[in-house]
Structure formats: structure tokens, C-alpha cells
């Protein structure tokens, strides 16, 4: 799903894959179907590991241009292993996503704050 370059950027979804998310480490989930269902309905980007494997499957809903203008930030959703949650995400993004449409109450169960990444300078241990 592509947006013409002269159009405002819509809300979009980042789907974590290629680590714990999207693998048999999270059993009982049709990961390919989840990604395909999202991509059929909303703008999607597949990402490598987002470093929050304890929350697999992770989906980040990014605000649209209008949502960002309203002060919205990306919403991180973890343990999205239920097809109904995937449908709730689709409905929310189609309605405008963060900053434009209220987050469905049920998605509050999946929302988490990712840890801050610390930049490591020269000489830091790692």
C-alpha cells in the first residue's frame, strides 16, 4: 500500500519479524497471515528485531502527519498474538491512528513503553 508523494503520510504499522517475533518461538500464531492481513489493509513496514523480544509479537503504530501535528507519538503494542487484536489495529489505523482516532480500549492491554536506547560512545563497555 503506497502513498502518492504529494499526499500526507498516513498512520502506518511497523511489524517486528526475524527474531522472536514471527517465529515458532511464539507458538500457535500464523505470523505470515498476521503480516499479510495487516498489509492488505494498512501501510506496513516489516522490521528486523526491535529489541523487545519479551513482548513478541511486537507491532508499532506510527502516527500520520496529522497525528504528529496533534502531538501523537508511536504506540508500541506487544504480545499481539490474537487475530482479533490484529483486526483492532487495522480498524484503528484506518480510522486515523494515534493523535487522530482514539485507541480502542482493548489495545490498552497490549500497549507498552519500550526501553530507551543508550548511545555508546568511544571507550564504553558493551
Amino acid at each position: 500500500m503506497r502513498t502518492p508523494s504529494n499526499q500526507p503520510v498516513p498512520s502506518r504499522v511497523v511489524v517486528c519479524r526475524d527474531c522472536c517475533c514471527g517465529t515458532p518461538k511464539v507458538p500457535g500464531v500464523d505470523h505470515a497471515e498476521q503480516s499479510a492481513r495487516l498489509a492488505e489493509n494498512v501501510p506496513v513496514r516489516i522490521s528486523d528485531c526491535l529489541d523487545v523480544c519479551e513482548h513478541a509479537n511486537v507491532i508499532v503504530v506510527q502516527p500520520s502527519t496529522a497525528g504528529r501535528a496533534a502531538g501523537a507519538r508511536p504506540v508500541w503494542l506487544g504480545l499481539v498474538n490474537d487475530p482479533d487484536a490484529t483486526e483492532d489495529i487495522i480498524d484503528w489505523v484506518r480510522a486515523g491512528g494515534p493523535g487522530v482516532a482514539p485507541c480502542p480500549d482493548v489495545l490498552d492491554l497490549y500497549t507498552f513503553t519500550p526501553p530507551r536506547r543508550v548511545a555508546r560512545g568511544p571507550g564504553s563497555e558493551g
Side-chain angles (χ1 to χ4, degrees):
M1 194 171 246
R2 297 187 61 80
T3 303
S5 59
N6 62 346
Q7 297 294 315
V9 176
S11 182
R12 53 183 79 194
V13 173
V14 177
V15 179
C16 185
R17 290 293 183 258
D18 298 328
C19 56
C20 293
C21 299
T23 70
K25 291 180 184 177
V26 181
V29 177
D30 186 339
H31 304 286
E33 173 61 26
Q34 182 185 50
S35 296
R37 182 78 183 127
L38 287 163
E40 289 169 0
N41 291 282
V42 297
V44 171
R45 183 172 67 88
I46 303 296
S47 175
D48 289 337
C49 186
L50 295 173
D51 287 337
V52 285
C53 294
E54 66 275 14
H55 296 282
N57 282 328
V58 175
I59 294 176
V60 181
V61 181
Q62 297 179 328
S64 64
T65 303
R68 284 207 183 270
R73 305 290 305 148
V75 175
W76 288 64
L77 304 167
L79 304 173
V80 184
N81 302 319
D82 179 331
D84 289 339
T86 302
E87 294 302 317
D88 291 331
I89 293 167
I90 290 168
D91 291 345
W92 182 35
V93 171
R94 287 175 126 182
V100 174
C103 182
D105 290 339
V106 70
L107 291 182
D108 287 342
L109 300 171
Y110 300 92
T111 304
F112 72 98
T113 302
R116 293 181 58 108
R117 295 177 194 238
V118 178
R120 296 178 187 235
S124 21
E125 295 180 29

